[in-house]
Amino acid sequence: MTEGWIECIPNFSEGRRPEVIEGLREAIRGVPGVLVLDVHSDPDHNRSVITFAGPASAVAEAAFVAIAHAAKAIDLREHQGEHPRIGATDVVPFVPLSGSSLEACVALAHSLGERVGGELEIPVYFYEAAARRPDRVNLEDVRRGEFEGLLTSIASDPGRAPDCGPARLGPAGATVIGARLPLIAYNVYLTTSEVRIAKEIARAVRHSSGGLRFVKALGLDVNGRAQISMNLTDYTRTPLARVVELIRREAHRHGVDILRSELVGLVPEGAILDAAAWYLQLDGFEQAQVLEARLTAMREAPQPGDLGFLDRLAAGTPTPGGGSAAATAGAMAAALTAMVARLTIGKKKYATIEARMGVVLESAEGLRHRLVGLAQDDATAFEAVLRAMRLPKETAEEQASRDQALEAATLQAARIPLSVALAAADAAELAAEAVEIGNVNAITDAAAAVAMARAAFQAAAWNVRINARGLRDPEPAQQWEEALATADQRIEAAEGRSLAGLRARAEIA
């Protein structure tokens, strides 16, 4: 089985010496199989964040090499910067990507921590999902007192004893290693130099002091400008736009405004699209409406026989699922019909039907490409349903907003398999015609296309009906049932034509 991919985003306590930052990047890039995705350095924070990804074993090796390099190049006894820190390599989070899981990241964190503590003799603390103690889940709790405070307490205070490695600090300090889901590191600068205002706004925004859930925030002085530095730990439940607007309102209370903002490292595409849809008031907006996203989806959508798609289908993830498989089966039906048409066109024996087979070929190819796109659309639609289900519902207003989003997402999740079912009926009719008049040497291929179209229809119809059950408004479901009944009749007729053609032309009962 293919090894799952993992993202790693180590934070290093160095943002001012380019040669050290480049050395860290090169150390990571030198590990085969690892892709360095981004390097972000901030001289005021005196901190660099390097984002890389790859198979689990390669990512673990790259993280170890980087920690070892940082231990030689960065001396925490001489370090100064605005950002809290306890180590040269301050924090190393692992994030699951395709084919991986949070549990795999936890195991990777523990394995790396034992190696760092043993081979490099650097104290290691585990946090977030990898935490071995409840008081170490939150990074800010582990890092409280920073390097200077930990110097005196690590050996004397049992509560500060590391999870791995020696209970003493060297020039490289300690390292915090963990596993978590994706977060957004996001900073907002205010039109003031008064850090007091930034601290008050940070207090209003962060969850631990009564603000928004899944938001961690600090007020800092960065190069003479008040900054709110944040980690958004679940943008699907506390969207970026909501955070920005709360900061804006709080800033206005103090007579200031937002000057600008910045991202540290990479951000999930969905977070930016959600913010754009909120500000533009694009109700019902879907990622598939973005031109580049649609092009990428069409290029990367599952192709019939694509073993990569089969691996993704077999993985323990909700998408792709039966809806994508149904669309792929329909695309296979159309592809088989196109093959039969091509085997017929240009043959003297079939010259009288060549023009008609040209139309069949064009129609089959159009259906094939449409169904390939629907395979990706189905996965995207179901992911939208999952996002809607994760929306907060603690207040009446949140519940109403969640219900509205879930209804819209479920409607789309039903409409796409309905399109697959209707396209499958078109594919069945084209395939039946290929059985009747196409190259007799490929007659069973055309008949197989009819059978694939029936499978695509049946699987898609089940998806339509299961999604229809989740709707509050029953009217669309009634219309869908009528459309499905008509499509079912068309496919049944195509199956009859196919069977008759097999009997008459190939003498297959």
Side-chain angles (χ1 to χ4, degrees):
M1 179 175 289
T2 303
E3 189 176 8
W5 271 53
I6 286 174
E7 179 188 25
C8 186
I9 315 99
N11 289 222
F12 302 99
S13 297
E14 179 56 65
R16 298 171 182 171
R17 293 182 290 168
E19 69 279 7
V20 174
I21 300 165
E22 179 62 18
L24 289 165
R25 186 181 73 86
E26 287 300 312
I28 293 168
R29 195 175 69 169
V31 177
V34 166
L35 298 177
V36 176
L37 305 177
D38 185 71
V39 179
H40 179 96
S41 297
D42 188 319
D44 296 303
H45 285 189
N46 201 6
R47 192 173 183 85
S48 292
V49 178
I50 300 180
T51 304
F52 60 93
S57 56
V59 165
E61 180 62 25
F64 180 82
V65 168
I67 294 169
H69 186 91
K72 296 177 181 178
I74 302 170
D75 188 337
L76 261 289
R77 296 170 300 182
E78 300 175 359
H79 181 273
Q80 292 183 341
E82 290 295 329
H83 204 286
R85 79 286 182 268
I86 61 171
T89 303
D90 189 51
V91 57
V92 182
F94 291 108
V95 177
L97 298 178
S98 58
S100 187
S101 65
L102 189 60
E103 291 74 18
C105 290
V106 169
L108 199 65
H110 289 163
S111 174
L112 176 65
E114 296 288 350
R115 187 180 177 193
V116 168
E119 296 183 28
L120 301 180
E121 296 188 339
I122 294 174
V124 173
Y125 298 88
F126 296 121
Y127 84 114
E128 285 281 355
R132 289 176 171 171
R133 293 170 40 164
D135 59 333
R136 293 181 178 173
V137 172
N138 293 319
L139 179 59
E140 55 267 34
D141 293 332
V142 179
R143 206 158 49 191
R144 187 166 287 114
E146 299 191 44
F147 173 76
E148 292 75 12
L150 192 59
L151 266 174
T152 58
S153 63
I154 189 170
S156 59
D157 183 355
R160 300 295 280 161
D163 292 303
C164 303
R168 64 179 183 277
L169 288 188
T175 295
V176 188
I177 302 176
R180 60 167 173 77
L181 296 176
L183 65 73
I184 300 171
Y186 180 63
N187 300 330
V188 172
Y189 292 85
L190 303 175
T191 57
T192 179
S193 60
E194 291 190 55
V195 71
R196 171 188 59 83
I197 296 177
K199 290 181 181 293
E200 290 187 18
I201 294 175
R203 188 179 301 112
V205 170
R206 65 175 172 253
H207 181 243
S208 63
S209 53
L212 299 172
R213 292 188 67 189
F214 312 110
V215 175
K216 300 179 180 181
L218 291 172
L220 303 172
D221 179 350
V222 177
N223 197 24
R225 180 71 61 184
Q227 181 201 78
I228 300 132
S229 178
M230 292 171 288
N231 282 340
L232 313 183
T233 59
D234 190 343
Y235 74 89
T236 65
R237 301 175 71 178
T238 300
L240 190 56
R242 188 179 302 166
V243 177
V244 173
E245 287 308 302
L246 179 55
I247 291 174
R248 196 187 310 278
R249 289 178 60 182
E250 290 293 320
H252 288 172
R253 290 180 58 246
H254 294 278
V256 300
D257 209 334
I258 293 175
L259 176 67
R260 63 182 177 89
S261 64
E262 66 180 2
L263 292 165
V264 179
L266 304 183
V267 60
E269 182 182 49
I272 300 299
L273 292 179
D274 286 349
W278 190 89
Y279 280 110
L280 297 175
Q281 296 183 258
L282 292 174
D283 294 339
F285 173 78
E286 292 291 336
Q287 183 177 358
Q289 292 177 263
V290 178
L291 172 61
E292 291 80 2
R294 176 56 65 91
L295 285 172
T296 300
M298 293 295 288
R299 289 170 181 160
E300 298 180 355
Q303 300 291 331
D306 175 5
L307 294 181
F309 170 65
L310 295 181
D311 285 340
R312 295 193 296 276
L313 197 63
T317 55
T319 58
S324 295
T328 302
M332 293 172 68
L336 282 169
T337 302
M339 180 192 78
V340 176
R342 287 191 171 95
L343 290 173
T344 304
I345 294 170
K347 301 292 191 297
K348 290 183 180 180
K349 182 178 179 180
Y350 302 104
T352 57
I353 62 164
E354 183 164 318
R356 177 56 197 165
M357 290 308 290
V359 174
V360 170
L361 174 59
E362 183 178 355
S363 299
E365 285 289 54
L367 274 174
R368 178 168 71 93
H369 289 294
R370 184 179 173 212
L371 283 158
V372 165
L374 286 169
Q376 179 61 38
D377 290 347
D378 184 86
T380 301
F382 186 69
E383 287 166 359
V385 172
L386 294 178
R387 287 198 302 272
M389 292 177 68
R390 289 194 294 264
L391 289 173
K393 52 181 179 179
E394 296 179 358
T395 67
E397 183 180 353
E398 288 179 338
Q399 180 70 59
S401 177
R402 177 183 181 275
D403 289 346
Q404 184 179 7
L406 186 58
E407 184 82 355
T410 305
L411 272 170
Q412 183 70 358
R415 286 170 179 154
I416 290 172
L418 178 64
S419 296
V420 171
L422 300 183
D426 293 337
E429 290 175 338
L430 285 174
E433 186 171 1
V435 172
E436 293 171 331
I437 66 173
N439 190 327
V440 71
N441 293 323
I443 192 170
T444 54
D445 297 300
V450 175
M452 294 299 297
R454 163 57 76 183
F457 168 82
Q458 191 65 63
W462 286 333
N463 275 310
V464 173
R465 288 168 179 140
I466 195 66
N467 283 302
R469 290 174 58 187
L471 294 174
R472 291 177 295 169
D473 181 5
E475 185 175 349
Q478 296 171 0
Q479 298 172 354
W480 297 338
E481 279 296 341
E482 294 173 3
L484 288 173
T486 300
D488 192 13
Q489 292 171 0
R490 291 170 58 199
I491 292 178
E492 187 175 351
E495 289 173 323
R497 290 167 56 193
S498 175
L499 183 58
L502 284 170
R503 288 171 175 169
R505 301 187 67 209
E507 298 182 354
I508 297 175

